[in-house]
Amino acid sequence: MRTSGVRACALAATIAGTLLGPGAHTVFAAQKDAPLAMRCAEFAGAVLPPEVIALPTAGAQIESASMVGATAPGNQQGGEYCRITGRIKALKATTPDIRFDLNLPRRWNGRALQIGGGGYNGVVVSGTGVMPFSPDRAPLAQGYATFGDDSGHVGDSSLAVFGLVDEAVTNFGYAHLKKTHDAALALIARAYGRPPQRMYFGGGSTGGREGYTVIQRFPDDYDGVIANSPALNFSGVRLIGVKLGQAEYATPGGYVPPLLLEQVYQRTLSVCDRLDGAADGIVSDVSACREHESEIIESLRCAGRSPPNEQCLSESQLATLMVMRDGLSLPYKLAWDVAGYRGYNVFQGTHLTGSLGLGHQAERLAVPRFFANGYLFAQGDGYIRYFVARDAGFDSLRFDPQRPGKYRAQLTALSETIGAMNPDVARYIARGGKLITLQGLADEVISPNQTIAYHQALVDRYGVDQVNRFMRLYMVPGFQHGSGAFIPSVDLLGALDSWVTRGASPETLIATDIAAATNGRSRPLCRYPLFPRYTGKGNVNLASSFVCTEP
């Protein structure tokens, strides 16, 4: 990371001069071997000038800086570290600050990891815990300097009210990533006397979108990125959420209760579970399962009969599921020639009864909530109210994504500010950056087919060999959006670091299932488009009994 490393040293010297006054450059050089506790204490109350951060801000304020002892209550990181909290000031007083946390381990491995958020963010990412779906030790415990932020507003991940504030929307879309990166990088260089040798980013869902965002917008700042279940087409997933809500709540008979959704899932399993050679509760051969889709749908259709004990679906209920399966096509283009959103694997093993699935309540709440009215609709409703219409009282059930009228320009602008669909990643490839993406084939929030489509767009642009040199895509059967029939635990950060530092490109990985009912079994994580097929012999709970196979 030569370019950003040189800049970090310059920024560190700037901070030293700002905080310590005349002669600070000499003091900085002399203090680089001082105990971390001494260096940590000097940050408390410090002010970072605006020139430290490449994007426009009013500077940053360090609110606290203190050592956390290895035996301190709640410290499960296995070592002592300096914890810094701060705020990056917006240009306008009416825009919320970007709150951030930075953790500096006493035993530093020379690397830094920026960690992404989720949903609409709004909560500071502490950076002290284990990476989602990664085993055992947290990155901080491994010696990584870690940092994250709240993306520039306060609230839980379901709240979209900040969409009324232009600067907050820009921060959420991309600017918070660069602003926090620059502030943290300068503080790391100041604390240790040198910048990180390697800078990584890791996140999932919104954090996955953020991972693709930094590759597309700030390629010189990162050596490697983990971007799981990425909300790449952010406007698209919000618009299909609105269409889904309209099918459920604005169409007579369109609501599909959980009992019927369970019937859909069980019917899919009965037809498709064994297509990979193993009856393990996982639909692994999604391509083969799709060939049976018509058969599955017909077996679920009431076909004019009254539903006996809710064992079949009416035409209106099937139409709701088709909205999700078919995706969204738009007669106009969003940023980067995006014209819709890819559909989900509704009839290929996706379970829609969980807290992130479809609605559990037949009536729409005035303000839709995840469990009551479905995750996709609740998030899409907030997007339309606050980001698009910019009217808290707007009724998203009356919004037509295909014919947005006066809102079309706003939709297009938002898709560029927040979306991460730009296929131009030439700069990141040229400087040797690496990317790993893990995505569930049964994801009910982020369509796996949208992630596959972006990967294909890269292949079309750069060729498969070039894409393989910088990217690994692992599509995981049975994995949903944090839950599912198979929840993989795998050391992606270790794989990324080995690829970046030693050139050891990851191939088939081995994941351990952490789903409660099947905890401990293992499966190979196959590079897309391969999937794990049972060999016909050996323990079905062991990855060694499976082989990665072409669809």
Side-chain angles (χ1 to χ4, degrees):
M1 209 176 66
R2 296 183 184 91
T3 302
S4 52
V6 171
R7 183 170 177 271
C9 287
L11 292 177
T14 298
I15 294 174
T18 302
L19 299 182
L20 303 177
H25 292 34
T26 302
V27 173
F28 171 73
Q31 283 193 345
K32 68 179 181 180
D33 295 322
L36 181 61
M38 182 185 301
R39 284 171 276 156
C40 183
E42 76 175 27
F43 288 119
V47 175
L48 280 65
E51 57 264 29
V52 167
I53 299 169
L55 296 181
T57 72
Q61 172 75 52
I62 305 304
E63 296 188 315
S64 68
S66 60
M67 294 299 295
V68 178
T71 59
N75 182 6
Q76 301 177 1
Q77 310 313 315
E80 187 179 27
Y81 66 97
C82 171
R83 181 159 184 78
I84 297 173
T85 68
R87 293 175 178 267
I88 299 170
K89 298 292 185 179
L91 296 177
K92 294 183 178 180
T94 53
T95 301
D97 297 336
I98 300 170
R99 300 175 299 155
F100 69 91
D101 284 4
L102 169 64
N103 310 290
L104 306 173
R106 185 172 64 82
R107 296 182 178 179
W108 186 39
N109 66 6
R111 297 160 173 77
L113 173 67
Q114 184 174 4
I115 303 173
Y120 282 113
N121 290 335
V123 178
V124 177
V125 176
S126 71
T128 59
V130 175
M131 291 280 285
F133 317 118
S134 294
D136 304 327
R137 298 179 69 211
L140 180 58
Q142 298 176 46
Y144 286 87
T146 63
F147 60 99
D149 63 74
D150 66 356
S151 84
H153 63 276
V154 178
D156 68 41
S157 63
S158 69
L159 295 178
V161 179
F162 70 94
L164 297 172
V165 182
D166 288 339
E167 194 175 0
V169 170
T170 300
N171 281 335
F172 173 72
Y174 65 89
H176 77 102
L177 299 165
K178 178 63 173 172
K179 294 173 182 179
T180 301
H181 167 275
D182 286 1
L185 183 62
L187 292 168
I188 291 168
R190 170 66 179 145
Y192 295 115
R194 59 186 174 92
Q197 295 171 304
R198 304 292 181 187
M199 176 68 78
Y200 300 138
F201 187 96
S205 193
T206 283
R209 171 185 63 80
E210 291 169 346
Y212 278 84
T213 296
V214 300
I215 286 173
Q216 295 166 15
R217 290 182 181 268
F218 314 115
D220 289 332
D221 288 345
Y222 300 87
D223 300 289
V225 168
I226 298 168
N228 296 337
S229 309
L232 295 166
N233 185 352
F234 195 84
S235 288
V237 74
R238 295 299 176 247
L239 291 177
I240 196 172
V242 171
K243 290 291 288 186
L244 194 56
Q246 291 169 348
E248 283 197 283
Y249 296 109
T251 303
Y255 172 71
V256 188
L259 186 61
L260 277 179
L261 293 173
E262 184 64 27
Q263 289 292 326
V264 174
Y265 178 68
Q266 293 300 331
R267 180 58 183 156
T268 299
L269 286 183
S270 70
V271 174
C272 299
D273 184 4
R274 295 176 180 269
L275 294 177
D276 62 350
D280 55 2
I282 302 172
V283 177
S284 293
D285 193 345
V286 169
S287 180
C289 183
R290 192 166 284 122
E291 295 178 5
H292 293 271
E293 186 173 84
S294 295
E295 165 196 338
I296 292 170
I297 292 172
E298 286 308 310
S299 71
L300 293 165
R301 191 189 304 272
C302 290
R305 298 178 286 115
S306 298
N309 301 315
E310 294 192 321
Q311 296 297 306
C312 62
L313 282 77
S314 69
E315 295 303 317
S316 294
Q317 290 168 332
L318 280 173
T320 295
L321 297 183
M322 296 305 182
V323 168
M324 194 171 185
R325 184 204 68 173
D326 294 341
L328 177 68
S329 295
L330 301 174
Y332 57 91
K333 297 289 183 68
L334 299 174
W336 301 297
D337 282 334
V338 171
Y341 192 78
R342 300 300 177 107
Y344 296 74
N345 295 332
V346 173
F347 301 102
Q348 289 81 42
T350 300
H351 209 174
L352 297 174
T353 62
S355 60
L356 299 182
L358 298 187
H360 285 68
Q361 185 171 308
E363 294 78 31
R364 176 217 178 182
L365 300 178
V367 178
R369 291 298 180 188
F370 294 172
F371 189 79
N373 301 132
Y375 181 90
L376 288 175
F377 176 46
Q379 293 286 52
D381 176 83
Y383 188 70
I384 296 301
R385 288 175 192 254
Y386 297 105
F387 283 75
V388 179
R390 313 200 93 170
D391 175 2
F394 189 85
D395 183 1
S396 65
L397 294 182
R398 295 189 294 104
F399 182 80
D400 185 352
Q402 270 96 5
R403 300 169 187 80
K406 65 180 181 180
Y407 302 114
R408 178 173 166 178
Q410 176 70 351
L411 274 175
T412 303
L414 286 168
S415 69
E416 183 171 5
T417 300
I418 304 175
M421 290 291 286
N422 186 356
D424 184 359
V425 293
R427 174 63 182 169
Y428 190 70
I429 295 173
R431 61 180 305 275
K434 306 302 181 187
L435 166 65
I436 296 176
T437 288
L438 181 151
Q439 167 87 50
L441 279 165
D443 198 318
E444 73 275 46
V445 172
I446 301 301
S447 171
N449 300 308
Q450 183 67 71
T451 301
I452 290 170
Y454 182 82
H455 176 266
Q456 185 59 49
L458 294 180
V459 170
D460 293 343
R461 188 181 183 99
Y462 299 106
V464 66
D465 292 341
Q466 183 83 303
V467 172
N468 286 341
R469 278 194 284 272
F470 94 99
M471 181 180 184
R472 289 292 181 268
L473 175 59
Y474 297 95
M475 302 302 297
V476 187
F479 182 39
Q480 302 210 180
H481 205 73
S483 64
F486 185 89
I487 306 175
S489 175
V490 60
D491 185 12
L492 293 183
L493 183 57
L496 180 70
D497 186 56
S498 294
W499 195 7
V500 169
T501 60
R502 298 190 291 105
S505 55
E507 298 300 329
T508 300
L509 302 176
I510 304 300
T512 301
D513 190 359
I514 57 174
T518 47
N519 190 286
R521 65 178 174 174
S522 60
R523 288 287 184 277
L525 290 187
C526 303
R527 288 181 53 191
Y528 176 79
L530 307 181
F531 73 93
R533 178 184 291 279
Y534 181 52
T535 61
K537 51 188 175 182
N539 190 334
V540 75
N541 290 319
L542 296 179
S544 58
S545 301
F546 291 77
V547 61
C548 291
T549 306
E550 289 273 1

